[in-house]
Amino acid sequence: MIRNYLKKSVNAIKRNFFQFLLVVILFSVLTMGIMYIFMPSLIEMQTLETQEEIEAFFEANNMTDQLSTIILGYVFLIFVSTSMSLGITKMSQEALNGKTSWKSMIPIIKQKFITNIVAAFALIAIILTSLLSVGIGIWVLTSSLTSGLALAGSGILYAIWLIFIMHFSLYTYAIVIDNLGSIASLKKSYNIVRKNFLQFLRLISAILIFVIIMSLVLTTIEIDILGLDGSITNMLIQMITTVLFSIIFVLFYLDHRKSKKQPIKKYTQLRRISRKTIRNKNKTVKRKKKTTKRKKTSRKRKTRRR
């Protein structure tokens, strides 16, 4: 299955390489523009290396004054990321059947933008509340157990939290493919991943291994052979990783969105249904008998009159 998914995804990317590249570049430019406008201090913090530089930065910049602009920037980033996920999901669905275009993402963003935004904020609420409960659990473990046991327990709690959040990875695909609402798409994603979790985990692991091997090969070619700085490889890896995950998740969702096993009805339900059907059949038979009797009597009367 994984090999088939990878083969179909690579073929879809080959057919529509420049269309996907254009979309990824567009959204990357929008993301960088938002970060430079609303979060210049956070970008500057990434260039700091020593402890002295970090302390001098916090003395020169009051982060509390910039908190409102940073929050606004994160809101705009959520808008951009949700639009990108909708557009690339629609393009991935079309790319599996042939050619696609960047123009196909515009109508789906118009139709499903609010639905996807509501689902994204609902997922953020789920992440924050579950993370808070994990933090409380870690605090209880560190206060009651030794350091080794507390560390092991904290790791287990964090792994459980990460597995729980992974169950909501397919909500955008439910919105685009099945035209579901915000809460219904989260429930659909949770049910699909819950029923096929090991298969989903193997799929993600295979994609990550494939991307790591491909990035190592491309970086060695660009840096060692061509003598470049590796920026082209980073852009290509970002594009291929985003599109590859999207196409493979579309295939996974299409294969598992409908349960193959039909729900088995209980004996009592079947008994009630059979009784109802027998009663209805008896009623129809009685009605037919009455109509036939009326017709016969009407014919006899006509013959007597003649």
Side-chain angles (χ1 to χ4, degrees), residues 13 37 84 212 262:
I13 292 170
I37 291 168
M84 180 180 177
I212 289 166
Q262 295 292 332

Side-chain angles (χ1 to χ4, degrees), residues 114-120 122 171 175 180-187:
I114 295 172
T115 306
N116 207 24
I117 282 289
V118 173
Y171 75 92
I175 290 171
L180 295 178
S182 303
I183 307 301
S185 61
L186 290 169
K187 288 180 181 178

Side-chain angles (χ1 to χ4, degrees), residues 57-73:
F57 173 80
F58 278 107
E59 287 177 0
N61 296 297
N62 190 3
M63 297 301 291
T64 55
D65 295 337
Q66 301 177 11
L67 188 62
S68 59
T69 56
I70 290 170
I71 291 170
L72 187 62

Side-chain angles (χ1 to χ4, degrees), residues 267-294:
Y267 176 70
T268 54
Q269 290 178 345
L270 291 171
R271 212 171 159 193
R272 286 173 188 169
I273 291 165
S274 62
R275 283 176 182 174
K276 284 182 181 179
T277 50
I278 289 166
R279 286 172 187 170
N280 292 328
K281 283 181 180 179
N282 290 333
K283 285 179 181 179
T284 52
V285 168
K286 286 179 180 179
R287 285 174 184 172
K288 285 181 180 179
K289 284 181 179 179
K290 286 180 179 179
T291 52
T292 51
K293 282 181 181 179
R294 286 175 183 174

Side-chain angles (χ1 to χ4, degrees), residues 292-303:
T292 51
K293 282 181 181 179
R294 286 175 183 174
K295 286 180 180 179
K296 284 180 181 179
T297 52
S298 62
R299 285 175 186 173
K300 284 179 180 179
R301 286 174 182 174
K302 287 179 180 179
T303 50

